[in-house]
Each structure stands twice: as structure tokens, then as C-alpha cells.
């Protein structure tokens, strides 16, 4: 099977890829997913090893990357922060350089985005961002791939994100704008997405004919949405603010009433883990509007395509 070739060595944010590369990634993902479902092996990374550095918790990211590299014929190494000398102060530059002598790719989940960038700078193997405080590109790519499976061409569709202007809001804005999706963000005052990321997304949107808007109004943002998306009010690293945030985000919730009154045909998405009764009601998450399990599954298929492309062609 021919692996698509792309220009970037790393995937740190969605805009490391071009529009046509995302389209090519989705095409390749469909092939891998179909083969996997048919029980056909595709050992495109036979003998290769992915190091998976986790400085934050994970269920989906860890299991989908580890399963994915195994299905591609390689192996995944879980590298927890406290099990590595990195946790005892070994310089990141040394860690990245040394790991690059052993393994063929690095997936990193960490706090500051600059750390993921530093791994790319000081290592010599491809680096994949498995979530930083600012971006979660693999999740956004899996989300738009899921939308593409459900509704075909994405250009002109509307995705509304309700909640914190965080790593998910950023990645959904960037990827959506690149794909021609109208992205509408509703956040409480003080929790808007980063202005530079909004500006970058709006630049992409100009080229694809889409729009990127930010408002405080959940109702206004949700009008006629094809997808209503939300994420936790307190992300990893913000646990000490969780109680305060419950008050600050009150009302920034996907409810059945919101769907009925503003976006009756909307599909509901959430990167998970979810807090039922906070950013989304249990009724909505467990209703036929919800496609959360499909998007979680697609993390596996999209990331296999990402790994094969970055680790199999460089
Ligand atoms: N959506 C996501 O990244 O889930 P985990 O935190 O479980 O990896
Ligand atoms: N915004 C959340 C996403 C979890 C997948 C966090 O960073 O914790």
C-alpha cells in the first residue's frame, strides 16, 4: 500500500498540514479503517517503535496510539513522566536527543506547547502532539474525519463549540477553517480562545470561504449548527479551579432544549472524558444525537494514518 507523502516532519498543530494533506490523510484513514474492519493486516511500520511520553493522564490517547502502532506492526513504549529522568530534571534536550537514538517516533502529552516544540527541535525523529495546553490536533482530525464519515463534504457545514476557549476550541477552529467549516465558538467572558489562534483560523477561513466567530451567546452560536461540540470546563492542570469554573461556566451546557430550539438536526460531539450534568446533560450524551463513541474510535484510525505517514516515509 502506498503511504501518502507530506511536507511536514512533525504534527504539533493541525496547521502543520495543508488542506490537501488533511484530505489525503482522511482518504488514507478510510483505507486503513476498512482494512482493519475486514481483518486485513497492514504492517506499514514493521519493527518501528513509538515512544509515548505522558505528563498528563489519558485513556483514549494512550490506548489508541499503543493499539495503533501494534496494528501497524510496530510497538509502543509508555513513558510516564515519573518513570523517566525527565521527571527528575534531566534536560529535555538530552532526553529528546537520546530517545531519537533508540526509537522511530515520539508522541508527547504535556502542559506547555513549547515543550512539544522543543522535542521536535532537539530530537531527530517525528514528534506527534498527543495534547498540550494549547492544542489537541489528533483529536480535532479524528473529529472532522468523523463528521466527514457522517455527512460527506464538510465545506459549508457549521460546527458550534460551547465552553472553554481551550486546546480543543483552538484545534477545532484551525482544522474547521482549513476544511471550509463555519466554526462558531461560545464562551463565557474571560474564557475566549487565544486571539492569535482566532486570527490564524480566520485567515484560513478567508481562503476556504468559511467563517470563524466568537461570542458569549450559546443560543446565537448554536443556531442551525450541524454539530454541537463541547469539552470539560476544567482541563487537566486546572483541577484546583474546578469548583470556581462550575459557577463561571453555568449555562454553557448542551441540553435537549438547546438542541430542540436552535439546532434540531445537530449531531453532538465531545472529545471525552465528559462530565455529565456540567458541559452536557446525560440525556444528550446518551441520545441519538450523540456520536461520541464514533469519534473516540476514529482516534485509532486517524492516528494510524498519521503514524504511517510520519514514521513510514521519513
Ligand atoms: N480525548 C482524549 O484525548 O482522551 P484521553 O484524555 O483519555 O486521552
Ligand atoms: N481540554 C481537555 C481535553 C481532554 C481530552 C484537557 O486538556 O484536559
Amino acid at each position: 500500500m502506498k503511504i501518502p507523502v507530506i511536507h511536514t516532519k512533525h504534527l504539533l498543530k493541525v496547521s502543520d498540514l495543508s488542506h490537501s494533506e488533511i484530505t489525503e490523510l482522511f482518504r488514507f484513514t478510510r483505507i486503513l479503517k476498512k482494512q482493519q474492519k475486514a481483518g486485513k493486516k497492514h504492517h506499514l511500520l514493521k519493527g518501528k517503535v513509538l515512544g509515548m511520553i505522558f505528563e498528563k493522564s489519558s485513556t483514549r490517547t494512550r490506548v489508541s496510539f499503543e493499539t495503533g502502532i501494534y496494528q501497524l506492526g510496530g510497538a509502543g513504549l509508555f513513558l510516564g513522566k515519573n518513570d523517566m529522568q525527565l521527571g527528575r530534571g534531566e534536560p529535555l534536550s538530552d532526553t529528546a536527543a537520546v530517545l531519537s537514538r533508540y526509537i522511530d517516533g515520539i508522541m508527547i502529552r504535556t502542559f506547555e506547547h513549547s515543550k512539544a516544540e522543543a522535542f521536535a527541535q532537539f530530537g531527530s525523529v517525528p514528534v506527534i502532539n498527543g495534547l498540550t495546553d494549547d492544542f489537541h490536533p489528533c483529536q480535532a482530525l479524528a473529529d472532522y474525519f468523523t463528521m466527514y464519515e457522517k455527512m460527506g463534504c464538510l465545506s459549508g457545514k457549521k460546527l458550534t463549540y460551547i465552553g472553554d476557549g481551550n486546546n480543543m476550541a483552538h484545534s477545532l477552529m484551525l482544522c474547521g477553517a482549513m476544511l471550509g467549516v463555519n466554526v462558531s465558538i461560545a464562551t463565557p467572558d474571560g474564557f475566549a480562545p487565544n486571539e492569535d489562534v482566532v486570527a490564524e483560523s480566520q485567515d484560513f477561513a478567508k481562503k476556504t470561504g468559511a467563517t470563524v466567530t466568537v461570542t458569549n451567546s450559546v443560543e446565537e452560536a448554536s443556531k442551525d449548527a450541524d454539530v454541537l461540540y463541547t469539552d470539560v470546563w476544567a482541563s487537566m492542570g486546572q483541577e484546583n479551579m474546578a469548583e470556581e469554573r462550575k459557577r463561571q461556566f453555568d449555562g454553557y451546557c448542551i441540553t435537549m432544549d438547546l438542541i430542540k430550539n436552535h439546532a434540531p438536526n445537530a449531531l453532538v460531539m465531545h472529545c471525552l472524558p465528559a462530565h455529565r450534568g456540567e458541559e452536557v446533560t446525560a440525556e444528550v450524551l446518551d441520545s441519538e444525537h450523540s456520536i461520541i463513541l464514533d469519534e473516540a474510535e476514529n482516534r485509532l484510525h486517524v492516528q494510524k494514518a498519521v503514524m504511517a505517514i510520519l514514521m513510514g516515509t521519513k
Side-chain angles (χ1 to χ4, degrees):
M1 192 184 348
K2 203 168 169 312
I3 304 175
V5 176
I6 62 172
H7 81 283
T8 182
K9 178 169 177 175
H10 310 287
L11 178 62
L12 301 182
K13 52 193 282 207
V14 174
S15 48
D16 287 340
L17 303 172
S18 68
H19 181 168
S20 62
E21 287 171 345
I22 297 176
T23 308
E24 191 58 17
L25 174 76
F26 285 1
R27 191 192 62 76
F28 189 48
T29 300
R30 280 180 73 173
I31 297 172
L32 293 179
K33 183 171 178 177
K34 205 166 156 196
Q35 288 190 345
Q36 190 62 38
K37 298 270 179 199
K40 264 176 117 179
K41 293 209 182 330
H42 36 230
H43 285 174
L44 301 172
L45 296 180
K46 199 166 187 318
K48 299 219 173 181
V49 176
L50 177 78
M52 308 186 301
I53 301 173
F54 280 94
E55 297 197 315
K56 291 176 174 173
S57 305
S58 170
T59 297
R60 281 143 288 270
T61 304
R62 176 179 177 180
V63 178
S64 55
F65 267 106
E66 194 161 338
T67 303
I69 186 80
Y70 176 76
Q71 290 178 356
L72 290 168
L77 270 185
F78 176 78
L79 303 169
K81 185 184 179 181
N82 295 329
D83 305 325
M84 293 174 77
Q85 299 290 9
L86 193 59
R88 293 180 57 245
E90 180 168 9
L92 185 156
S93 50
D94 286 349
T95 306
V98 169
L99 288 179
S100 299
R101 297 287 181 109
Y102 301 133
I103 61 184
D104 306 285
I106 294 172
M107 186 245 90
I108 180 163
R109 166 167 287 199
T110 188
F111 292 85
E112 302 87 351
H113 189 70
S114 56
K115 263 197 191 173
E117 290 172 334
F119 262 92
Q121 183 187 344
F122 295 110
S124 56
V125 296
V127 177
I128 302 170
N129 177 358
L131 181 145
T132 61
D133 288 346
D134 295 331
F135 297 104
H136 197 1
C138 295
Q139 181 70 53
L141 288 166
D143 294 336
Y144 284 108
F145 177 76
T146 308
M147 274 177 71
Y148 168 64
E149 281 187 322
K150 301 281 177 198
M151 46 187 83
C153 175
L154 294 181
S155 180
K157 296 284 188 289
K158 176 175 176 180
L159 179 140
T160 297
Y161 173 93
I162 297 166
D164 189 18
N166 60 12
N167 43 13
M168 275 320 310
H170 292 161
S171 295
L172 289 168
M173 268 190 319
L174 276 173
C175 195
M178 290 176 79
L179 293 171
V181 175
N182 299 313
V183 181
S184 194
I185 309 272
T187 67
D189 267 337
F191 296 96
N194 178 290
E195 281 176 12
D196 292 339
V197 182
V198 174
E200 189 183 356
S201 305
Q202 284 172 337
D203 280 347
F204 281 121
K206 263 186 219 142
K207 290 184 201 129
T208 58
T211 54
V212 174
T213 54
V214 181
T215 171
N216 293 144
S217 167
V218 173
E219 289 75 19
E220 181 192 314
S222 303
K223 194 174 173 332
D224 299 329
D226 296 293
V227 167
L228 294 174
Y229 197 115
T230 189
D231 184 14
V232 289
W233 291 339
S235 285
M236 288 181 277
Q238 299 172 334
E239 288 79 3
N240 60 343
M241 301 175 220
E243 282 311 306
E244 197 185 346
R245 281 177 169 243
K246 276 185 196 166
R247 286 187 295 280
Q248 291 164 316
F249 282 83
D250 188 30
Y252 285 79
C253 175
I254 303 181
T255 61
M256 225 23 129
D257 275 350
L258 181 76
I259 297 176
K260 272 190 209 137
N261 295 330
H262 298 281
N265 300 317
L267 297 175
V268 172
M269 300 179 80
H270 191 310
C271 54
L272 303 179
H275 289 186
R276 284 169 166 77
E278 292 184 19
E279 72 275 5
V280 59
T281 63
E283 187 189 13
V284 167
L285 267 197
D286 302 328
S287 76
E288 58 193 11
H289 290 277
S290 167
I291 55 168
I292 53 172
L293 296 182
D294 294 323
E295 55 172 322
E297 178 187 333
N298 281 332
R299 292 289 303 279
L300 170 68
H301 305 297
V302 167
Q303 289 162 192
K304 280 170 72 180
V306 168
M307 287 189 280
I309 290 171
L310 296 183
M311 294 165 63
T313 61
K314 304 287 172 199

